[in-house]
Amino acid sequence: MRKAVNDVKRCVACGVCALQCPREAIDIYRGCHAAVDIDKCVGCGICEKACPAGSIRVEEVQDGIQ
């Protein structure tokens, strides 16, 4: 199962990924970084392509656990 995973150390909390996500699976957490709801994420990769900081990657996860 593929899901989006955010590297919070690289994230600049710009919100581009959240705006591009068709499933509304990403929110900006306390203005600090993007938070991915893995239950909503379908691993489409749109957020990964949109992220200007390169902090989001779609990766293989086990049973919904990153």
Side-chain angles (χ1 to χ4, degrees):
M1 170 179 342
R2 294 178 57 80
K3 301 287 181 173
V5 177
N6 186 34
D7 178 352
V8 298
K9 292 179 183 175
R10 293 183 71 178
C11 183
V12 296
C14 66
V16 172
C17 57
L19 291 173
Q20 295 295 313
C21 181
R23 300 285 303 226
E24 298 180 353
I26 304 174
D27 288 312
I28 301 302
Y29 179 74
R30 296 186 179 182
C32 297
H33 61 80
V36 180
D37 182 338
I38 61 170
D39 292 328
K40 291 182 181 178
C41 179
V42 294
C44 67
I46 293 172
C47 58
E48 180 179 32
K49 292 175 186 169
C51 180
S55 69
I56 296 187
R57 298 189 192 247
V58 177
E59 299 178 355
E60 195 69 30
V61 296
Q62 297 287 331
D63 299 318
I65 299 172
Q66 297 179 19

